Amino acid sequence: MSISPNSPRDNSAATSSRRWRDLLLLAALFLLVVIGLGGLAAATGWEETKAALARVTPGEIGILLFLSLANYLGRSLRWHLFARRLGLRTRLAQNIRHFLGGFAMSVTPGRVGELVRMRWIRRETGWSFERTAPLVLVDRAADLSAMALLLAAALALSTTGVSGGVPVAILALVAAFAATRPALLRSIGDVAHRMTGRRMPRLFARVRRASRSLETFTSPRTVAAATALGAIGWFAEGYAFHLLLIWMGAEVELWVAVGIFIFATLAGGLTGAPGGLGGAEAAMVALLSIQGVPLEIAVPATLIIRVTTLWFAILIGIIVFPFAERQSKKAWNELEGN
């Protein structure tokens, strides 16, 4: 059967070209971050920075990567939960493949490249984009909720607090609330439709359908499970940051380290830069300095934690992406042949 007359097969040459372009973009962005942090390291003294880096053993790097992997797998389970609640009959392994493969596009502006997950779902199930779009929205909202709660906990439980943490935590909670309130989203769509002189009726009809789909995710059990999975995952990475600082000789208490990590991640996202690059690193170094951590530790600690979190996720995504593409194309061919 034909799933959609306006869903052509991807041109393999164009797809390959885009992949190389994205890889070059990734390399360029990573190089810019390294150059920026390298400049700070040079200003503080290379010998001190190298000494701090030497304190971290390969085994300890392995622990950091393991904690990051725990975050990715926990959020993959949450994606599976959302997919099943939406009514998709996709398997656990299938949903994990979609979620991890989307990490390859994490550094696209606003992370819109992660919408590739919707393409894979369309090919494998025949579901249109507007039917699966709520997955992206509710997944991002669940991250915001979990991170805002962790930041609030860090502010409450740490003895020194996190500078600027309160407004960021409030903003994240407000954004998460708005993104998961179907009636509010529908009202925003209706107001925008009227402001455009009721142009683009198809677009706003899709917004209304997407808002109705969000009602699927508002049950207390779903919200509680999603929040728990997200909070555990992000706490694992915050705990990794705490361990890293201790190993490098900086006595930073657990909840301060968690708060700094979450704040920097959220602040980087608010800049709109791909993957929060630049903003997250700057916030992390600045907050560590406020806590009295010398730059010769703050700079390499920031570099290591970003490599073992953001860039490790991107590496996993790059590995999984081609497999996810092949599996989705195979499923699409089978659907078209039936």
Side-chain angles (χ1 to χ4, degrees):
M1 65 178 177
S2 178
I3 303 301
S4 173
N6 57 0
S7 299
R9 299 170 187 264
D10 293 331
N11 182 278
S12 58
T15 301
S16 177
S17 175
R18 285 194 300 269
R19 189 176 303 143
W20 278 108
R21 181 198 63 197
D22 293 339
L23 287 173
L24 289 172
L25 174 63
L26 285 175
L29 290 170
F30 180 72
L31 183 61
L32 285 173
V33 172
V34 170
I35 290 172
L37 293 175
L40 282 175
T44 58
W46 283 110
E47 293 303 320
E48 293 83 354
T49 301
K50 286 192 291 185
L53 285 169
R55 295 191 189 108
V56 185
T57 67
E60 289 167 346
I61 293 294
I63 293 172
L64 300 181
L65 295 176
F66 174 80
L67 289 169
S68 291
L69 190 59
N71 180 22
Y72 310 150
L73 291 178
R75 289 160 59 206
S76 295
L77 291 175
R78 187 185 65 197
W79 180 268
H80 175 68
L81 169 68
F82 288 150
R84 300 298 289 182
R85 286 292 299 171
L86 191 61
L88 285 165
R89 296 186 178 276
T90 42
R91 302 178 304 278
L92 175 60
Q94 195 175 1
N95 287 322
I96 291 176
R97 181 175 72 236
H98 294 162
F99 187 79
L100 296 181
F103 282 155
M105 312 298 287
S106 293
V107 293
T108 49
R111 303 182 77 166
V112 294
E114 290 186 352
L115 295 177
V116 69
R117 293 168 181 153
M118 306 297 99
R119 184 177 71 191
W120 293 332
I121 292 173
R122 175 180 57 81
R123 288 173 176 171
E124 295 173 25
T125 67
W127 280 45
S128 63
F129 174 81
E130 54 262 34
R131 292 182 70 188
T132 57
L135 280 175
V136 176
L137 189 60
V138 76
D139 183 68
R140 185 62 59 234
D143 269 340
L144 286 172
S145 297
M147 295 171 82
L149 290 173
L150 281 174
L151 186 53
L155 292 169
L157 297 174
S158 64
T159 57
T160 57
V162 178
S163 178
V166 173
V168 173
I170 293 173
L171 185 60
L173 281 173
V174 169
F177 178 82
T180 53
R181 299 275 77 79
L184 180 59
L185 183 62
R186 190 160 49 247
S187 297
I188 292 172
D190 290 342
V191 170
H193 193 196
R194 287 195 295 270
M195 289 177 65
T196 60
R198 299 196 177 277
R199 297 185 181 91
M200 300 179 288
R202 251 185 211 180
L203 172 63
F204 290 104
R206 290 178 177 178
V207 171
R208 285 190 289 272
R209 283 198 294 271
S211 67
R212 286 194 295 270
S213 297
L214 281 176
E215 294 172 359
T216 306
F217 308 107
T218 56
S219 72
R221 290 179 65 181
T222 301
V223 171
T227 302
L229 287 169
I232 291 170
W234 286 109
F235 177 80
E237 289 194 345
Y239 179 61
F241 189 45
H242 169 67
L243 289 178
L244 174 63
L245 290 168
I246 296 298
W247 293 334
M248 298 184 77
E251 294 296 329
V252 178
E253 62 175 288
L254 171 61
W255 282 106
V256 170
V258 171
I260 290 174
F261 178 80
I262 297 297
F263 177 94
T265 304
L266 285 171
L270 290 173
T271 65
L277 289 170
E281 289 81 8
M284 202 169 286
V285 171
L287 290 173
L288 287 173
S289 298
I290 290 172
Q291 294 295 324
V293 178
L295 282 177
E296 59 265 25
I297 292 178
V299 171
T302 296
L303 177 61
I304 291 173
I305 201 63
R306 290 291 276 172
V307 167
T308 57
T309 54
L310 173 66
W311 293 99
F312 181 47
I314 292 171
L315 176 62
I316 290 174
I318 290 172
I319 294 170
V320 175
F321 189 95
F323 179 65
E325 275 285 296
R326 287 195 301 270
Q327 291 297 108
S328 66
K329 286 180 180 179
K330 179 181 176 182
W332 177 254
N333 290 335
E334 290 173 356
L335 283 172
E336 280 201 319
N338 291 335

